[in-house]
Amino acid sequence: MPFISKIQRQTDYNRFPSSTPIVIDNGASYFRIGWAGETEPRVIFRNIVQRPRHKSTGETVTVVGDHDTALLKHFDCTRSGPRSAFDSNVVFQFEIMEYILDFAFDRLGANGSRIDHPILITECVCNPVQSRSKMAELLFETYGVPSVAFGVDAAFSYKYNQQRGICQKDGLAICPGFTTTHVIPFVDGEPVYRGCCRTNIGGYHVTDNLKQLLSLKYPHHMARFTWEKIEDLKMEHCYIAPDYALEARLFLKGSKEAEDKTRCWQLPWVPPPIEEPPSEEEIARKAAIKERQGQRLREMAEAKRSSRINELENQLHGLEFLLQQLAQVEEEEISSFLSKTGYVSKQEIESTLTKVSQSLRKAKGESKVEQAENEEKADSSTSDKYPLINVPDNMLTPEQLKEKKRQIFLKTTTEGRQRAKQKRFEEELEREKKTREDEERRLENPELYLEQMRTKYKELYEKVEQRKRLKTNGGHANGNNSGAVGRGERLNAAQRERMRLLTTAAFDRGKGEDNFGAKDEDWQLYKLMSKDNDDDDDGADEDEAELARVCSRLQAIDPTFVAKPEPTPSEVATTEVPRVRLLTKEDFQVVLGVERFRCPEILFHPNLVGIDQAGLDEMTGASIRRLASKNEALEDRLTSSIFMTGGCSLFPGLNERLEAGVRMLLPCGSPIKVARALDPVLDAWRGASAYAANLQFQQQTFSRVDYYEKGEDWLRRYQLRYTL
């Protein structure tokens, strides 16, 4: 509806005299309000209320109806969902009903809380007296209305279409509403309530069933399946099948007719960008950028190295000058002199001097051989640190024996460090030698060298990946084995041998008393089971190290080289079969096939959703039997004018399916005619508007004076006459 300002609404409201009734169609799905005598309601909104909190202020607000999602994004709606005042088409939450009426009267243009116009409000068939009395109390006590009239929405729609020749005076009105479905027989234009039928099935259950089916079918798009969108899909695509079983078999076979009846809902989808290989200009540009960055890093490293050399040279000169001064100091003044310098002894100064000299030589970039010679000289100069090692124990005192043990430990540790350092030194020399050889080969024939390096990288990569797959899946290298993989298949030869020894020991020693370890040969088992003998893991480490070296070498000489990503353990088992694929347009399509007729089928078979009640055709037969079980003429008049109204009557094929179902319940040759309302959604309000515009309408109202004098019990006998 177009936007109307509040001032204009109030102006329109004041134009109507106080005798003009206000017509309200209080449906469980939508609330409609307007003036009597008009053909369209002034205000229409969903009959729900929300009370969310504002995200920034924390203030609780009341939201009536369905508002724009752009507005609701500023509120926290997770703790307060939409609430309805209805329970199976009966109003029972009058606090919510008061919010709805406040909003409706405000949008109609009322200035204050008092309403000076008569009210005609619709209700369900055979509405409980408690609900009717509470509604009357709300209208009289809260809004001060002068009079109220209660009518059935389906009856107003029937009378409105009767005046236009759609149905006869005698007939059946079937109203599949939002949460309930009613069948009302009419005789001489008046509803006969003793022949009514009701079942708790309606459009809400159809929408909810469709939402559940689509959520199960497309779990990744559940956020798209909002209630409003599912309502639109239901009204746009759902239909009633003439024969449900035959239609289901048609879709099961997948015939051409079933494909024609299938509908597709395309969700928003943006195709992923296509990655094109870089051009030669792009490769050259990236190589130039990389070279500039490398040059800048080298300059920064050189500046840092120069600063470090200057700092170490100054420190070295200071230590040498300190030693010269210390040599000139007398023996008695050495301790006081050292206390001023921060050193404890002359040996500490010399040790610091040695370390600074080594750091300076390293910073200046001396060769590994020169550093090794200098370290050997330093080590040879410290050989006199352990004078007690070669002295026999019988010539030493207990204190000297303790000192000898400490010196042995220090010497052993120092020698171990020297051996490890020598090993690292040799490995470094070997790497430098191999690097020089690789560089010479590259300079001789760059293209051949690059091709050999790529081939070597590919072989090493496949070798490492094959070992990982074998380690994970045993003999099934492709990862597509159908059965389970045992632990023995995932172990290599050395690990299987250890497992065999452990199992044998457990089997032999498991009988009787546990005395494992009592014999010397038992301990040989631990040596055999030691992981140090597993050469396969060492080979794997060497291959991975060589692979890393070749990869870094290729990255240095080939700008176009891209290393393959390291697979995770879960991806190793499925290397041949990719687990992730790019999403396509078809992945964002929601296909509606069997759901189109399966969901509205619950109107005829409610047991499909677990509701053990009758369908529309059975309810029609039950209503006819209650009213005209022995009157064939009345039965023929009722079946000759079966009138459909309500939102669910808009499903295509509903009239034909209902006619076929009712024909199965009646004698052969019975006249059957099913007609649908001109507008199944708004005809109830239009019929009530035309009824309230009649001059005799005031005689059918229940005034405020009657309410205060006769009380709520009088509402039990109140009955609206639809023929004026």
Side-chain angles (χ1 to χ4, degrees):
M1 288 188 176
F3 174 76
I4 302 176
S5 64
K6 186 173 183 179
I7 297 177
Q8 186 177 355
R9 292 198 304 266
Q10 293 177 355
T11 303
D12 293 342
Y13 182 87
N14 295 329
R15 286 194 301 107
F16 291 91
S18 59
S19 60
T20 304
I22 296 177
V23 180
I24 299 175
D25 182 11
N26 189 22
S29 178
Y30 281 88
F31 188 96
R32 304 172 183 88
I33 184 172
W35 297 101
E38 296 184 346
T39 57
E40 296 292 335
R42 291 294 184 96
V43 183
I44 301 176
F45 57 89
R46 284 188 64 190
N47 210 338
I48 55 174
V49 173
Q50 286 181 272
R51 289 184 56 80
R53 289 185 179 181
H54 199 277
K55 291 182 179 179
S56 59
T57 63
E59 181 183 0
T60 302
V61 298
T62 302
V63 180
V64 180
D66 46 354
H67 285 257
D68 187 10
T69 55
L71 175 64
L72 291 179
K73 72 179 182 181
H74 301 289
F75 297 91
D76 182 13
C77 301
T78 57
R79 299 184 180 181
S80 175
R83 300 178 60 190
S84 174
F86 289 82
D87 182 13
S88 297
N89 213 28
V90 176
V91 180
F92 79 107
Q93 290 283 359
F94 287 93
E95 297 85 355
I96 299 176
M97 197 70 239
E98 185 174 354
Y99 284 122
I100 293 173
L101 288 174
D102 287 343
F103 180 80
F105 289 138
D106 178 74
R107 288 297 180 270
L108 192 62
N111 296 326
S113 60
R114 185 175 181 85
I115 306 300
D116 296 329
H117 297 266
I119 300 292
L120 172 58
I121 187 169
T122 61
E123 61 181 7
C124 66
V125 182
C126 302
N127 191 34
V129 179
Q130 177 69 15
S131 176
R132 179 185 288 182
S133 62
K134 288 294 182 181
M135 181 64 74
E137 178 183 351
L138 178 64
L139 292 173
F140 286 131
E141 299 288 348
T142 304
Y143 300 101
V145 299
S147 59
V148 177
F150 297 94
V152 179
D153 50 359
F156 286 127
S157 180
Y158 187 91
K159 296 296 293 183
Y160 181 80
N161 285 269
Q162 177 190 340
Q163 296 172 2
R164 285 151 182 80
I166 304 299
C167 52
Q168 308 299 324
K169 288 186 177 182
D170 298 335
L172 291 172
I174 302 177
C175 180
F178 185 63
T179 55
T180 58
T181 299
H182 294 92
V183 177
I184 309 173
F186 281 80
V187 178
D188 294 333
E190 291 292 331
V192 183
Y193 295 117
R194 60 184 177 87
C196 293
C197 290
R198 162 183 160 160
T199 182
N200 293 326
I201 198 76
Y204 167 82
H205 304 87
V206 178
T207 306
D208 185 65
N209 190 24
L210 180 59
K211 188 173 186 295
Q212 292 182 12
L213 291 179
L214 292 181
S215 299
L216 290 174
K217 190 175 181 180
Y218 302 99
H220 300 293
H221 300 307
M222 289 182 63
R224 303 277 186 176
F225 301 144
T226 60
W227 186 266
E228 293 77 11
K229 187 61 185 178
I230 297 298
E231 281 274 0
D232 296 340
L233 292 176
K234 177 189 73 173
M235 302 309 299
E236 184 177 356
H237 298 294
C238 288
Y239 67 94
I240 303 293
D243 189 336
Y244 178 75
L246 183 62
E247 196 82 2
R249 285 195 296 268
L250 187 68
F251 275 81
L252 183 62
K253 294 178 181 179
S255 61
K256 184 66 171 60
E257 186 178 356
E259 294 180 2
D260 295 339
K261 293 182 178 180
T262 302
R263 300 292 181 267
C264 180
W265 173 31
Q266 180 64 54
L267 297 175
W269 174 75
V270 178
I274 300 176
E275 297 183 0
E276 298 181 356
S279 60
E280 295 181 358
E281 294 79 3
E282 184 69 16
I283 294 175
R285 187 182 65 83
K286 290 183 178 179
I289 293 175
K290 187 175 181 181
E291 179 64 25
R292 288 196 298 269
Q293 292 176 348
Q295 181 64 27
R296 187 161 51 251
L297 290 175
R298 286 191 293 270
E299 293 175 357
M300 294 172 60
E302 183 63 26
K304 186 176 180 181
R305 175 175 168 273
S306 301
S307 175
R308 175 66 174 166
I309 290 175
N310 294 332
E311 181 182 351
L312 290 174
E313 287 179 348
N314 295 332
Q315 189 176 0
L316 183 62
H317 294 329
L319 291 172
E320 291 175 350
F321 179 73
L322 185 60
L323 286 175
Q324 294 176 2
Q325 287 185 337
L326 185 62
Q328 300 175 1
V329 176
E330 296 181 358
E331 190 71 23
E332 295 80 6
E333 299 178 357
I334 290 179
S335 58
S336 61
F337 178 79
L338 290 175
S339 62
K340 297 178 181 179
T341 61
Y343 292 97
V344 178
S345 63
K346 181 180 180 180
Q347 289 78 10
E348 183 180 357
I349 299 176
E350 292 176 349
S351 176
T352 305
L353 180 64
T354 303
K355 292 180 180 179
V356 172
S357 301
Q358 293 176 356
S359 301
L360 182 59
R361 287 193 297 271
K362 186 176 180 181
K364 288 183 177 181
E366 294 183 0
S367 64
K368 298 288 183 179
V369 178
E370 294 176 355
Q371 293 185 24
E373 292 177 354
N374 294 328
E375 289 176 0
E376 289 178 0
K377 294 178 181 178
D379 294 337
S380 62
S381 64
T382 58
S383 59
D384 56 348
K385 291 182 179 180
Y386 315 110
L388 299 178
I389 292 179
N390 298 325
V391 179
D393 294 347
N394 54 5
M395 299 177 61
L396 301 176
T397 61
E399 291 76 8
Q400 291 176 337
L401 286 174
K402 292 181 181 180
E403 180 65 20
K404 180 180 179 180
K405 291 181 181 180
R406 189 182 70 82
Q407 291 180 5
I408 292 174
F409 173 75
L410 291 176
K411 182 179 180 181
T412 305
T413 307
T414 304
E415 290 177 352
R417 286 199 299 267
Q418 291 296 329
R419 286 194 297 270
K421 188 180 298 184
Q422 181 66 22
K423 185 177 179 180
R424 291 195 300 270
F425 172 69
E426 293 175 356
E427 292 177 353
E428 183 67 23
L429 290 178
E430 185 66 24
R431 283 195 295 269
E432 289 181 357
K433 180 180 178 181
K434 187 176 294 187
T435 303
R436 286 195 302 269
E437 293 176 355
D438 288 347
E439 186 64 21
E440 292 175 358
R441 288 165 49 202
R442 186 183 71 84
L443 294 176
E444 290 177 2
N445 193 341
E447 296 181 357
L448 178 61
Y449 176 78
L450 183 60
E451 185 66 27
Q452 291 176 353
M453 292 296 289
R454 287 178 175 174
T455 305
K456 187 175 182 180
Y457 175 80
K458 184 178 180 181
E459 293 175 355
L460 287 172
Y461 183 82
E462 292 179 354
K463 186 177 180 181
V464 172
E465 292 302 311
Q466 181 72 10
R467 183 180 289 109
K468 290 181 180 179
R469 287 195 294 268
L470 288 174
K471 195 172 182 180
T472 304
N473 298 329
H476 306 280
N478 59 354
N480 296 328
N481 51 313
S482 58
V485 179
R487 175 177 171 81
E489 296 180 358
R490 296 195 299 268
L491 303 179
N492 54 32
Q495 292 171 336
R496 286 197 295 271
E497 179 64 18
R498 288 198 298 269
M499 184 61 65
R500 187 189 66 79
L501 293 172
L502 186 61
T503 306
T504 304
F507 179 76
D508 295 339
R509 311 294 181 181
K511 301 175 182 178
E513 186 176 353
D514 184 11
N515 55 3
F516 181 78
K519 301 178 181 180
D520 294 338
E521 58 268 17
D522 294 340
W523 297 100
Q524 298 297 326
L525 183 60
Y526 286 109
K527 296 181 180 180
L528 293 174
M529 293 192 309
S530 174
K531 292 186 178 181
D532 296 337
N533 298 325
D534 192 355
D535 298 333
D536 186 65
D537 294 338
D538 297 337
D541 294 338
E542 294 177 0
D543 291 339
E544 291 179 1
E546 182 66 15
L547 178 64
R549 189 189 72 81
V550 174
C551 179
S552 62
R553 183 65 177 164
L554 280 172
Q555 288 176 344
I557 65 177
D558 187 6
T560 62
F561 173 75
V562 178
K564 296 182 179 180
E566 184 70 17
T568 60
S570 61
E571 294 174 348
V572 172
T574 58
T575 306
E576 300 296 333
V577 182
R579 299 181 61 185
V580 179
R581 64 177 179 84
L582 294 177
L583 296 178
T584 61
K585 183 179 180 180
E586 288 72 17
D587 295 324
F588 288 83
Q589 290 179 353
V590 177
V591 179
L592 297 174
V594 69
E595 297 85 5
R596 293 186 62 197
F597 64 91
R598 179 179 177 183
C599 296
E601 183 64 22
I602 64 177
L603 295 176
F604 292 89
H605 294 92
N607 56 347
L608 293 177
V609 290
I611 300 178
D612 189 16
Q613 295 184 13
L616 288 180
D617 47 2
E618 297 180 32
M619 291 173 58
T620 304
S623 181
I624 293 174
R625 288 193 299 271
R626 289 180 181 179
L627 191 62
S629 58
K630 297 181 181 180
N631 191 341
E632 296 182 0
L634 179 58
E635 180 178 326
D636 292 343
R637 293 199 305 272
L638 293 177
T639 57
S640 298
S641 179
I642 300 179
F643 175 73
M644 298 292 300
T645 186
C648 288
S649 62
L650 293 172
F651 287 127
L654 180 62
N655 292 2
E656 294 78 5
R657 175 67 179 277
L658 181 62
E659 182 177 348
V662 174
R663 194 174 298 279
M664 297 288 292
L665 302 175
L666 298 179
C668 180
S670 298
I672 300 176
K673 180 183 177 182
V674 180
R676 191 176 67 185
L678 296 174
D679 189 346
V681 177
L682 292 178
D683 279 355
W685 186 90
R686 289 167 180 163
S689 175
Y691 183 86
N694 196 296
L695 297 178
Q696 300 179 4
F697 167 72
Q698 296 295 336
Q699 301 176 4
Q700 303 296 324
T701 59
F702 181 68
S703 65
R704 186 166 64 245
V705 177
D706 296 334
Y707 172 77
Y708 287 123
E709 290 181 356
K710 301 178 181 178
E712 299 177 355
D713 292 338
W714 190 83
L715 289 172
R716 190 185 303 273
R717 299 188 301 272
Y718 173 79
Q719 191 68 48
L720 186 72
R721 291 184 56 86
Y722 295 90
T723 303
L724 297 178

